Amino acid sequence: MYKMLVATDGSSHSKKTVEFAAVIGKALSAEVTVLSVIPEVPVLKGHEGISFENTATFEKNIAAGMRGAAEDAGVQAKAAFAEKGLDVKVRIENGAPADVICKIAAAEKFDHVVMGSRGLGSFRGMLLGSVSNKVVHHCEINVSIVK
């Protein structure tokens, strides 16, 4: 069976990606897995006047918000695929998005990755290269980029 990995971050652009992947998935009768990767929360260093406890609470709140957004992205994607008559698996993983996508694609022998050209990435991504650019150059399988 044809295995397709669809990366989503819940951005408006990735909703287009999910719609595109649903059409392809249905046409190929593919086994589809929707993946949302939660980037690591940067470690905050202490600052004069800010306690360790406040910093830890802030980091915990960021992580919880990112997990909630990833879960929402999975729910939305699952619903979009269901409209096309496809049941999909939804996964949420932690780590560097491009690395996680490529690792899962290789380890689980996916045939195809579908992802958007843009997402919720940071300004740093514009300077160092986007997630989609890294996936295209490091994945050993076919990658479709949706604009």
Side-chain angles (χ1 to χ4, degrees), residues 56-88:
T57 300
F58 182 67
E59 287 176 349
K60 184 178 175 182
N61 289 340
I62 290 172
M66 292 169 76
R67 174 156 289 284
E71 290 169 353
D72 289 346
V75 167
Q76 292 171 6
K78 190 169 181 77
F81 278 97
E83 286 178 12
K84 300 285 186 196
L86 292 169
D87 187 36
V88 300

Side-chain angles (χ1 to χ4, degrees), residues 90-111:
V90 176
R91 286 181 65 169
I92 298 173
E93 299 290 338
N94 293 298
D99 295 339
V100 172
I101 292 165
C102 291
K103 181 180 173 185
I104 290 173
E108 299 183 21
K109 297 183 177 17
F110 280 90
D111 299 298

Side-chain angles (χ1 to χ4, degrees), residues 41-63:
V41 177
V43 176
L44 299 175
K45 299 189 184 214
H47 187 291
E48 189 173 328
I50 300 175
S51 71
F52 173 76
E53 291 80 18
N54 286 341
T55 301
T57 300
F58 182 67
E59 287 176 349
K60 184 178 175 182
N61 289 340
I62 290 172

